């Protein structure tokens, strides 16, 4: 099912023309209304007329989460507060939350893109959807809510938590769809199984997001609940859930290109990368009124697929996020992200692994060692199985980062735990 | 069948003692101990009096522990009694994953501990042939 065939199946030339036109309008709006960007453009010697279309996108300055924090709370809004009808915020692991605002048009566009996502997942007015994302400052709950209302589905606004009520609603109200985080759905599935209620529910599809998850988790969810598990991607800075979504073919997430222009850049050189390369995902919001952003660096690693999807949509697809660009290491000339190693471990263990990365230089050659704690669920009583596990982890990491690695199994709780953001890398190269 | 604790340890000096120390401090009596190792890590296998408690106290200290089943065979003091057991298993297509032995303190008899690919049929085969199992 396609919600907005005109836009979602538009040919490349037309969509780029639309993006160019909207980008130019945005640059003008931003220049006159956001002092932060006006200053940045002036420093770069950029004038409104220098941006003639998407081919000039690379001339615009980048935006980071820190920029939003430095202008906390409303400093980057492009409209007076009287036009802002809603505010959301995301709490960071460190420092101030990131505050975002929406005009009435922004909210309408947001509902539109979530409606596309729901149709993509096969959810329509014939469905009942249990929305188990938290309602509040977090964009998940109200974001999904707006889209579900737009397609006319029957919403069960459960919000997050209170597993008892969630289960009761699944059994008594018989929703056919659910939206929540993948880890919470796995938890609900386990509870349903324990209470032998799995055959009492009518779920057909789940729209999952707001946290990274793996193909293994997808398989597990689909198997346990006998449903389709569909990814929805978004970040509050850009809009919230719905920035991109998977269709039922589950082969990359379709980006709402009429609202957001994606780019893939090299996080080190900040240069745009050729089509198909993996790098940092960057978005420019071309229709946002309250909080328009130039080239927002998501820090998410992905790549873009421009081929038309089997579902018929021509919109560009982003591949599943493989990691974060924070703490990038350069080993033997190759960019390596700790998060890539984490995602490799996640694929094997399905839960948060404890690991440490040691980088050293021996005889002028960089070495990479990954220490992984042997959790009880990995632990086998047989040496050969532990050796097989070591090989499996090694292979998985090599597949993702492309350079050799030595994996070492260590006793649990021997890797230092730290408050807040864990330290994952020890670089002994002193360079 | 006999319960066995398997503990993951790194092959570092003092790691073995640390495990036995924890068990001792918690009054978990060790009957048998065997280490199987590679250059980097090893599996410590233990037969203790209270395996459940042994697992709990080691878990508390952060060790990964598996509580598994093994077969304990009381060998008689006759020539070839071990050979008889191994032949019986082999004739019934049962393969041994690992094997170690310990001596009962009071009786002074050797007990063979083994883990095989098919525990149930190994147990049946041995009992049918009058081999007494240690519990
Ligand atoms: Zn598609």
């Amino acid at each position: 099912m396609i919600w907005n065939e005109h836009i979602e199946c538009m040919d490349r030339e037309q969509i780029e023309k639309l993006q160019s036109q909207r980008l130019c309008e945005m640059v003008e709006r931003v220049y006159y209304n956001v002092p932060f960007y006006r200053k940045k453009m002036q420093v770069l010697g950029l004038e409104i007329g220098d941006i003639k279309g998407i081919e000039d996108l690379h001339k615009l300055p980048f935006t980071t989460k820190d920029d939003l924090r430095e202008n906390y709370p409303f400093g980057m809004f492009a409209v007076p507060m009287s036009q802002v009808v809603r505010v959301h915020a995301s709490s960071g692991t460190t420092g101030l939350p990131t505050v975002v605002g929406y005009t009435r048009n922004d909210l309408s566009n947001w509902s539109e893109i979530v409606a596309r996502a729901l149709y993509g997942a096969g959810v329509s007015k014939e469905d009942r959807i249990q929305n188990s994302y938290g309602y509040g400052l977090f964009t998940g709950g109200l974001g999904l809510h707006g889209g579900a209302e737009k397609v006319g589905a029957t919403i069960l606004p459960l919000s997050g938590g209170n597993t008892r009520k969630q289960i009761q609603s699944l059994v008594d109200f018989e929703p056919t769809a659910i939206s929540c985080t993948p880890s919470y759905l796995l938890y609900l599935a386990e509870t349903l199984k324990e209470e032998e209620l799995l055959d009492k529910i009518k779920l057909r599809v789940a729209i999952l997001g707001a946290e990274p998850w793996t193909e293994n988790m997808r398989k597990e969810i689909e198997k346990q609940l006998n449903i389709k598990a569909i990814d929805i991607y978004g970040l509050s800075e850009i809009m919230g859930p719905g920035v991109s979504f998977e269709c039922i073919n589950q082969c990359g997430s379709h980006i709402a290109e009429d609202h957001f222009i994606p780019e893939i850049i090299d996080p080190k050189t900040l240069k745009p990368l050729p089509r198909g390369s993996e790098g940092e995902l960057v978005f420019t919001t071309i229709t946002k009124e309250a909080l328009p952003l130039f080239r927002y660096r998501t820090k998410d690693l992905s790549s873009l697929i421009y081929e038309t999807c089997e579902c018929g949509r021509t919109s560009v697809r982003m591949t599943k996020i493989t990691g974060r660009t924070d703490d990038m290491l350069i080993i033997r000339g190759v960019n390596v992200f700790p998060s890539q190693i984490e995602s490799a471990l996640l694929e094997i263990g399905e839960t948060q692994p404890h690991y440490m990365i040691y980088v050293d230089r021996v005889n002028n050659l960089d070495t990479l060692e990954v220490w992984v704690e042997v959790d009880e669920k990995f632990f086998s009583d047989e040496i050969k199985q532990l050796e097989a596990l070591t090989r499996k982890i090694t292979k998985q990491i090599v597949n993702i980062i492309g350079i050799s690695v030595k994996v070492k199994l260590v006793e649990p709780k021997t890797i230092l735990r730290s408050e807040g953001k864990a330290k994952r890398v020890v670089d002994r190269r002193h360079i | 069948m006999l319960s066995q604790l398997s503990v993951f340890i790194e092959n570092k000096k003092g790691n073995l003692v640390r495990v036995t120390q924890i068990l001792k401090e918690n009054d978990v009596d060790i009957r048998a101990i065997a280490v199987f190792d590679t250059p980097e890590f090893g599996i410590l296998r233990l037969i203790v009096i209270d395996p459940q408690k042994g697992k709990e106290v080691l878990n508390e200290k952060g060790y990964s522990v598996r509580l598994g089943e093994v077969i304990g065979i009381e060998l008689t003091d006759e020539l070839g009694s071990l050979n008889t057991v191994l032949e019986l298993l082999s004739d019934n297509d049962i393969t041994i994953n690992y094997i170690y032995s310990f001596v009962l303190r009071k009786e002074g008899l050797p007990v063979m501990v083994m883990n095989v690919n098919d525990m149930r049929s190994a147990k049946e085969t041995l009992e049918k042939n009058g081999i007494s199992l240690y519990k």
Side-chain angles (χ1 to χ4, degrees):
Chain A
M1 292 195 303
I2 299 178
W3 174 256
N4 187 337
E5 208 170 322
H6 170 64
I7 291 287
E8 294 180 74
C9 302
M10 206 177 238
D11 67 51
R12 187 100 322 252
E13 203 179 314
Q14 261 182 299
I15 190 81
E16 289 185 352
K17 211 174 132 198
L18 179 68
Q19 287 178 326
S20 289
Q21 178 209 330
R22 288 182 172 175
L23 178 66
C24 294
E25 289 164 10
M26 173 207 183
V27 170
E28 184 165 353
R29 210 167 57 234
V30 167
Y31 186 88
Y32 288 119
N33 295 299
V34 187
F36 168 83
Y37 279 128
R38 185 163 58 240
K39 248 177 260 159
K40 278 209 165 190
M41 285 176 68
Q42 284 166 346
V43 169
L44 290 168
L46 259 186
E47 284 173 29
I48 295 171
D50 293 338
I51 308 298
K52 296 188 180 70
I54 56 168
E55 64 280 5
D56 297 319
L57 185 63
H58 68 275
K59 295 177 183 166
L60 289 168
F62 287 105
T63 312
T64 63
K65 207 180 187 77
D66 286 338
D67 293 329
L68 289 166
R69 289 219 182 91
E70 277 157 28
N71 292 281
Y72 177 86
F74 310 131
M76 284 179 69
F77 284 12
V79 295
M81 285 310 277
S82 58
Q83 286 178 43
V84 174
V85 296
R86 197 196 293 166
V87 161
H88 281 287
S90 65
S91 55
T93 39
T94 50
L96 293 168
T98 313
V99 180
V100 298
Y102 303 80
T103 64
R104 212 172 282 283
N105 279 334
D106 292 338
L107 287 186
S108 155
N109 287 335
W110 191 8
S111 300
E112 159 74 21
I113 61 173
V114 175
R116 292 180 199 171
L118 291 172
Y119 253 52
V123 175
S124 69
K125 65 180 168 53
E126 308 301 332
D127 286 282
R128 259 168 250 171
I129 180 166
Q130 176 158 327
N131 188 12
S132 307
Y133 279 120
Y135 282 66
L137 281 174
F138 169 57
T139 50
L142 284 163
L144 249 293
H145 187 100
E149 231 168 36
K150 186 130 188 163
V151 301
T154 309
I155 306 167
L156 311 171
L158 269 281
S159 193
N162 200 341
T163 304
R164 225 26 303 128
K165 276 208 175 119
Q166 304 278 356
I167 299 284
Q168 192 184 6
S169 165
L170 283 170
V171 172
D172 295 352
F173 302 154
E174 300 182 333
T176 45
I178 186 168
S179 47
C180 59
T181 60
S183 55
Y184 190 58
L185 187 57
L186 263 180
Y187 178 70
L188 286 178
E190 267 158 37
T191 313
L192 285 164
K193 193 174 164 192
E194 265 167 34
E195 301 182 5
E196 293 174 5
L197 293 169
L198 277 174
D199 58 342
K200 298 271 189 302
I201 60 164
K202 296 276 193 293
L203 279 187
R204 201 184 75 233
V205 61
I207 292 102
L208 308 170
E211 68 184 16
W213 54 307
T214 62
E215 285 303 326
N216 266 344
M217 274 174 92
R218 192 208 297 273
K219 275 183 223 144
E220 190 63 32
I221 290 168
E222 295 195 332
K223 191 179 81 194
Q224 285 202 25
L225 292 168
N226 192 25
I227 60 170
K228 258 206 178 286
I230 302 282
D231 201 2
I232 187 166
Y233 172 86
L235 58 173
S236 60
E237 295 87 338
I238 300 306
M239 187 69 105
V243 172
S244 73
F245 64 91
E246 276 182 345
C247 64
I248 45 164
N249 296 311
Q250 300 170 317
C251 53
S253 294
H254 291 275
I255 296 171
E257 282 185 277
D258 51 330
H259 298 288
F260 320 109
I261 307 177
E263 289 174 276
I264 296 287
I265 63 159
D266 181 323
K268 201 80 189 170
T269 64
L270 304 184
K271 292 267 178 287
L273 290 170
R275 280 190 174 182
S277 324
E278 179 169 86
E280 181 175 346
L281 186 60
V282 168
F283 284 109
T284 300
T285 66
I286 46 179
T287 55
K288 281 276 283 299
E289 292 177 342
L291 185 61
L293 298 178
F294 288 149
R295 310 184 80 196
Y296 182 76
R297 296 184 56 187
T298 63
K299 304 226 168 159
D300 285 331
L301 280 179
S302 180
S303 60
L304 299 175
I305 309 166
Y306 283 87
E307 285 84 51
T308 303
C309 181
E310 263 178 64
C311 68
R313 291 178 181 82
T314 53
S315 47
V316 65
R317 283 167 286 154
M318 50 181 269
T319 56
K320 215 162 174 40
I321 304 296
T322 51
R324 303 270 304 159
T325 61
D326 313 301
D327 324 315
M328 183 174 76
L329 292 161
I330 302 179
I331 300 171
R332 283 171 245 154
V334 176
N335 294 355
V336 173
F337 303 95
S339 47
Q340 290 176 301
I341 289 167
E342 179 159 331
S343 71
L345 294 172
L346 269 167
E347 286 291 347
I348 291 167
E350 291 172 12
T351 48
Q352 213 61 34
H354 284 288
Y355 65 94
M356 190 70 96
I357 297 163
Y358 291 94
V359 188
D360 209 338
R361 184 163 282 183
V362 182
N363 299 329
N364 292 317
L365 188 69
D366 295 340
T367 60
L368 173 64
E369 239 181 74
V370 178
W371 292 17
V372 187
E373 286 187 1
V374 174
D375 188 273
E376 260 184 29
K377 65 183 175 303
F378 285 151
F379 180 42
S380 149
D381 173 42
E382 284 178 54
I383 295 273
K384 59 174 185 273
Q385 286 194 23
L386 286 173
E387 286 176 336
L389 174 69
T390 310
R391 282 196 299 275
K392 191 176 165 192
I393 296 174
T394 307
K395 198 171 155 222
Q396 188 84 17
I397 295 177
V398 171
N399 278 346
I400 291 186
I401 64 175
I403 59 168
S404 62
V405 59
K406 178 174 165 34
V407 171
K408 186 178 166 192
L409 300 181
V410 299
E411 287 170 19
K413 298 195 182 163
T414 49
I415 289 172
L416 198 70
R417 305 285 196 274
S418 53
E419 300 284 320
K421 201 166 178 286
K423 184 175 165 55
R424 296 301 196 188
V425 181
V426 177
D427 195 339
R428 300 189 179 115
R429 291 175 296 180
H430 309 294
I431 47 173
Chain B
M1 267 177 244
L2 199 55
S3 285
Q4 172 189 261
L5 294 180
S6 304
V7 187
F8 178 84
I9 53 167
E10 277 169 68
N11 228 340
K12 278 195 302 210
K13 207 176 146 212
N15 281 14
L16 182 64
V17 181
R18 217 168 294 136
V19 172
T20 53
Q21 193 75 28
I22 292 166
L23 293 173
K24 191 180 152 214
E25 279 163 11
N26 290 280
D27 299 319
V28 178
D29 198 13
I30 302 169
R31 302 310 287 278
I33 188 163
V35 186
F36 294 74
D37 63 356
T38 71
E40 285 187 344
F41 61 82
I43 299 173
L44 181 60
R45 302 202 173 102
L46 298 140
I47 306 289
V48 299
I49 295 299
D50 187 345
Q52 196 57 48
K53 185 178 171 195
K55 179 170 167 31
E56 276 164 28
V57 297
L58 288 170
N59 278 153
E60 248 167 60
K61 295 286 179 187
Y63 285 93
S64 282
V65 183
R66 267 176 82 118
L67 196 53
E69 286 187 327
V70 285
I71 297 177
I73 300 159
E74 290 176 22
L75 292 180
T76 53
D77 218 1
E78 289 162 27
L79 203 64
S81 69
L82 174 61
N83 197 46
T84 312
V85 170
L86 297 183
E87 264 177 16
L88 265 174
L89 295 175
S90 163
D91 290 347
N92 286 279
D93 287 331
I94 295 161
T95 51
I96 297 171
N97 294 330
Y98 56 81
I99 185 163
Y100 60 96
S101 67
F102 67 98
V103 175
L104 288 177
R105 255 170 269 168
K106 270 184 216 140
E107 296 86 348
L109 283 177
V111 175
M112 291 301 311
V113 176
M114 60 173 76
N115 180 286
V116 299
N117 62 339
D118 186 343
M119 297 289 279
R120 185 193 298 260
S121 97
K123 189 169 175 268
E124 279 169 13
T125 305
L126 293 170
E127 278 177 339
K128 213 165 55 193
N129 286 279
I131 310 279
S132 64
L133 300 185
Y134 178 76
K135 288 172 188 91

